[in-house]
């Protein structure tokens, strides 16, 4: 049980650090705050609501992992290194893919809501 408690406090520490200093994380938190009520009006079911919010949470999760990759790379070396560049670029690509997923999920939900036809 102590391990779970420690993990919780480590997570809270990371959340506070990212919320205070990482612009992308701050923007995605604002997106989540806006998505919570918007998804209520866009979705046609509880499952749809969960999917809309889950997509935004997925984006935030990938951003957190990308930030972790960048921090680990920077701790190793701040000098240019082809392998470090690839690691950072792959993290950035993962975030981009997540953005595409969010846009797709929300786009489909909006089409369903506006047309009344489930896709």
């Amino acid at each position: 049980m102590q391990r779970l408690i420690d993990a919780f406090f480590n997570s809270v520490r990371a959340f506070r650090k990212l919320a205070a200093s990482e612009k992308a994380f701050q923007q995605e938190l604002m997106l989540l705050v806006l998505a919570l009520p918007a998804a209520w009006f866009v979705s046609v079911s509880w499952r749809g609501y969960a999917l809309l919010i889950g997509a935004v949470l997925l984006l935030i999760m990938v951003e957190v992992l990308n930030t972790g990759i960048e921090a680990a790379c920077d701790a190793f070396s701040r000098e240019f290194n082809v392998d470090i560049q690839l690691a950072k670029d792959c993290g950035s690509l993962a975030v981009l893919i997540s953005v595409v997923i969010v846009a797709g999920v929300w786009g489909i939900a909006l089409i369903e809501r506006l047309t009344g036809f489930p896709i």
Side-chain angles (χ1 to χ4, degrees), residues 89-110:
D89 288 349
C90 287
S92 181
L93 175 60
V95 172
L96 177 61
I97 292 168
S98 298
V99 168
V100 170
I101 291 170
V102 170
V105 168
W106 277 80
I108 289 169
L110 282 168

Side-chain angles (χ1 to χ4, degrees), residues 38-44 52 105-119:
W40 179 258
F41 295 105
V42 172
S43 65
V44 294
L52 291 170
V105 168
W106 277 80
I108 289 169
L110 282 168
I111 290 169
E112 283 184 343
R113 173 54 80 184
L114 294 174
T115 64
F117 298 114
I119 296 177

